Amino acid sequence: MNVVNVVPMSHTMPETQVGVPHVSVMAREVVNLMQPAGATLLDLTVGAGGHSAALLEAGAASVIGLDRDPRALELARARLERFGERALVRHASFSTFEEVLDLLGLETVDGLLADLGVSSMQLDEPHRGMSFRAEGPLDMRMDTTRGETALELLARVDDEGLTEILAKLGEERRARRVARCIKQELEAGKLETTLDLRRAVVRAVGPARIGGVDPATKTFQAIRMAVNRELFELEGLLEAAARRVRPGGRLAILTFHSLEDRMVKRALQTDAWEPLTSKPLVAEEDELSHNPRARSAKLRVARRREVSR
Ligand SMILES: C[S@@+](CC[C@H](N)C(=O)[O-])C[C@H]1O[C@@H](n2cnc3c(N)ncnc32)[C@H](O)[C@@H]1O
């Protein structure tokens, strides 16, 4: 197996990341492994445009950035404006990225990048409803233009369905108990906001231990993943990637959840791909010191094999 060495990280935050709304995770490793010089790349989760900017700075011929969050697209557009026509930004869910390539008349690209999960902007803006740290509506949609909100999902699923979501996507050991409390609060008309949801979880499992992880963490993650159909999206992306990355081209995926990492690992073990990271790369200590969000990140990169599709 061909394992690529990564240039050591610098000990300070890259200058391009200071003061931005979302600090890109493992940007240096992504750039090293994507080999962007002269390449046409698709950034499936453009977010605040950090990875895209780094790839363009490293010589990518062009980057097409997708995001399902209209607010992220505004930020990405502003951040990537200086690259002129080399940067293109489109509103789309990445499971449908093939449609975007078809519209642009591109059969294949030289590389695909996906940086999964939520951005700091989404977590930090209370009205998005993704954080249990501030009061906001139970929305949690990344794409605010369509789909079911968290509150609508909670009203639609029964106790059993909610238990399954919490157990599978949140790996919540006390899923049944938490699901029952949430449904009870909902039926009593007492569940409208993020803090109501947090209170329902605390009622089920007790308060946080001092210095421990907030008891609502797993529940919020699970419901957000269900609202945004995150595993379904990833499945669609992995299924289409081998069709649209040219032979010799690269696929890089950053995950923040063990289920997602397992899906990526399995997909990269198929004949279509030659893994370039035998084990997933994780962030170096110096990156963790300025970006705690990188703590759970795993980066896997593979090269498209020269086989018939
Ligand atoms: C972690 S952020 C990306 C940050 C970006 N790499 C940067 O450096 O600024 C993840 C982004 O992916 C977007 N996203 C998540 N799932 C998506 C999907 N299925 N389709 C399109 N965008 C998605 C989110 O809206 C969010 O803006």
Side-chain angles (χ1 to χ4, degrees):
M1 190 175 296
N2 202 349
V3 179
V4 172
N5 287 322
V6 169
V7 176
M9 297 283 289
S10 75
H11 290 276
T12 52
M13 193 188 307
E15 217 174 284
T16 47
Q17 306 247 345
V18 176
V20 299
H22 172 95
V23 179
S24 304
V25 171
M26 298 177 77
R28 189 169 302 239
E29 288 88 340
V30 166
V31 169
N32 279 331
L33 287 161
M34 289 291 281
Q35 295 201 326
T40 297
L41 303 172
L42 186 56
D43 180 349
L44 296 160
T45 52
V46 70
H51 283 118
S52 285
L55 291 164
L56 286 159
E57 271 159 15
S62 61
V63 173
I64 305 147
L66 309 187
D67 208 291
R68 62 191 348 191
D69 179 348
R71 174 79 188 117
L73 291 179
E74 276 173 36
L75 292 167
R77 251 187 213 115
R79 182 127 176 235
L80 301 175
E81 199 179 358
R82 67 191 162 102
F83 297 101
E85 288 178 359
R86 290 170 62 211
L88 206 65
V89 170
R90 291 283 183 273
H91 185 217
S93 286
F94 58 58
S95 60
T96 66
F97 81 84
E98 288 187 285
E99 291 169 26
V100 178
L101 293 186
D102 290 345
L103 282 170
L104 294 170
L106 288 169
E107 197 183 322
T108 59
V109 288
D110 300 313
L112 285 185
L113 165 68
D115 172 15
L116 303 179
V118 279
S119 66
S120 305
M121 298 85 76
Q122 289 165 337
L123 279 174
D124 292 346
E125 291 175 358
H127 72 273
R128 306 297 301 258
M130 298 208 194
S131 169
F132 47 76
R133 294 188 200 288
E135 181 110 62
L138 279 171
D139 189 325
M140 298 200 194
R141 290 170 303 162
M142 292 181 185
D143 187 345
T144 46
T145 68
R146 68 192 80 174
E148 181 173 64
T149 65
L151 192 57
E152 287 162 352
L153 179 136
L154 292 172
R156 177 175 55 80
V157 295
D158 59 13
D159 281 32
E160 206 53 48
L162 185 54
T163 302
E164 208 182 306
I165 288 171
L166 300 180
K168 183 177 173 199
L169 302 179
E171 291 164 336
E172 171 58 73
R173 279 187 301 111
R174 290 155 298 183
R176 187 165 301 282
R177 216 179 141 80
V178 175
R180 202 178 318 124
C181 271
I182 292 174
K183 290 298 281 186
Q184 279 169 357
E185 294 294 300
L186 192 67
E187 276 147 29
K190 292 187 192 156
L191 196 84
E192 280 175 11
T193 72
T194 47
L195 296 188
D196 294 338
L197 178 60
R198 183 176 179 280
R199 266 190 293 273
V201 179
V202 170
R203 196 159 74 78
V205 303
R209 271 179 284 143
I210 294 165
V213 175
D214 193 283
T217 307
K218 291 176 171 178
T219 294
F220 271 69
Q221 171 185 288
I223 296 173
R224 187 208 80 219
M225 288 181 77
V227 164
N228 294 291
R229 308 177 75 211
E230 293 181 32
L231 297 186
F232 169 85
E233 281 289 312
L234 179 58
E235 212 173 275
L237 146 63
L238 292 171
E239 198 261 322
R243 283 195 290 274
R244 307 305 286 248
V245 175
R246 70 156 173 83
R250 293 178 178 214
L251 171 65
I253 306 193
L254 269 162
T255 60
F256 296 83
H257 190 290
S258 56
L259 278 180
E260 291 177 338
D261 180 56
R262 227 172 297 147
M263 285 167 71
V264 174
K265 179 180 174 186
R266 221 170 288 140
L268 299 190
Q269 281 166 345
T270 58
D271 287 348
W273 301 104
E274 175 194 353
L276 298 177
T277 44
S278 55
K279 282 195 184 136
L281 296 183
V282 294
E284 303 271 338
E285 270 308 315
D286 63 343
E287 177 171 5
L288 296 177
S289 67
H290 65 68
N291 191 9
R293 204 186 145 266
R295 193 161 293 281
S296 53
K298 292 204 165 106
L299 173 65
R300 291 188 188 266
V301 183
R303 180 163 41 210
R304 179 75 174 91
R305 285 186 205 274
E306 310 268 344
V307 289
S308 55
R309 282 182 286 141

